[in-house]
Amino acid sequence: MTTPTSPRRPDWRDQAACVQQGEPEDWFPHPTNLAAIDAAKRVCFRCPVMLDCAQYALTTRQETGVWGGLSEGQRYTLTKKRRVHLAGPDRIRAEVLRVLRPEMDPVTRLEDVWERSTRPLPGGHLAWAAGTAAHVKIRGVTYTANQLAFTVDRGRRPVGMVRRTPDCEVVECIHPKHLEDAQERELRRKLDELGVQPRPVEAVAS
Ligand code: SF4
Ligand SMILES: [Zn+2]
């Protein structure tokens, strides 16, 4: 009989990339923490047992965390709407790959989309290129212009709303250095309270 102290039989978990990398809580970020979810997914996409892990999470109805590259919301859709947990292993794996393939696509680079979608404005500001859709979908993730600008420049997903900094008064400006997310806004307010002068934004004509 198996007891909690008995060693378990070897299985897919022995090759789990998350065991070697990071802390267990890194795979259980808050559902609104998109940057942390993205970071966990990136490790999953290189994990040799991603499909086993996803299948396990779907069939055992794991509700929280990132499993097999799937977020909570993606698993919810796969189980509640598409009922894949009741399907055989082949269909489960096919559905997981269908959902994840756009996110795993290494061809679409955020930087390339950014380059194509922007145009310069006088005074060193930048605007979204005319005729370009207001949102872009890259690797399964939808970005507004502000979110794309921020992510390309900072190398991380924004926390909360991305808005112009008070230094830039050009309404349509999406210059990444003229934008800040909620985390940076909070930091700026704290620095203001302490009387510390933040760095001036780049490329704004005086
Ligand atoms: S797919 Fe992700 S969560 Fe699953 S074992 Fe691999 S790294 Fe861990
Ligand atoms: Zn600007």
Side-chain angles (χ1 to χ4, degrees), residues 125 168 170 173 175 178 204:
H125 304 272
C168 175
V170 178
C173 182
H175 191 302
H178 305 181
V204 177

Side-chain angles (χ1 to χ4, degrees), residues 51-110:
L51 289 176
D52 301 273
C53 176
Q55 185 180 340
Y56 170 83
L58 289 164
T59 52
T60 58
R61 309 292 297 272
Q62 300 296 322
E63 291 185 353
T64 57
V66 175
W67 291 79
L70 295 166
S71 66
E72 293 176 20
Q74 287 170 322
R75 288 200 308 283
Y76 181 86
T77 305
L78 283 169
T79 52
K80 284 279 190 312
K81 297 195 177 150
R82 296 185 64 84
R83 316 287 294 160
V84 298
H85 56 294
L86 303 175
D90 288 348
R91 177 165 167 236
I92 293 181
R93 285 164 182 248
E95 287 277 351
V96 170
L97 285 174
R98 180 186 62 76
V99 168
L100 293 181
R101 196 165 281 128
E103 294 180 54
M104 297 170 74
D105 173 12
V107 173
T108 314
R109 292 178 64 245
L110 260 57

Side-chain angles (χ1 to χ4, degrees), residues 5-78:
T5 51
S6 307
R8 65 172 171 79
R9 284 198 210 131
D11 65 14
W12 59 269
R13 282 172 284 193
D14 299 324
Q15 296 177 64
C18 50
V19 173
Q20 341 273 340
Q21 224 169 309
E23 299 297 328
E25 56 268 26
D26 294 343
W27 269 260
F28 293 91
H30 191 275
T32 61
N33 190 344
L34 299 181
I37 292 170
D38 205 43
K41 278 171 167 271
R42 298 281 131 216
V43 177
C44 293
F45 294 161
R46 295 193 303 274
C47 176
V49 290
M50 185 184 85
L51 289 176
D52 301 273
C53 176
Q55 185 180 340
Y56 170 83
L58 289 164
T59 52
T60 58
R61 309 292 297 272
Q62 300 296 322
E63 291 185 353
T64 57
V66 175
W67 291 79
L70 295 166
S71 66
E72 293 176 20
Q74 287 170 322
R75 288 200 308 283
Y76 181 86
T77 305
L78 283 169

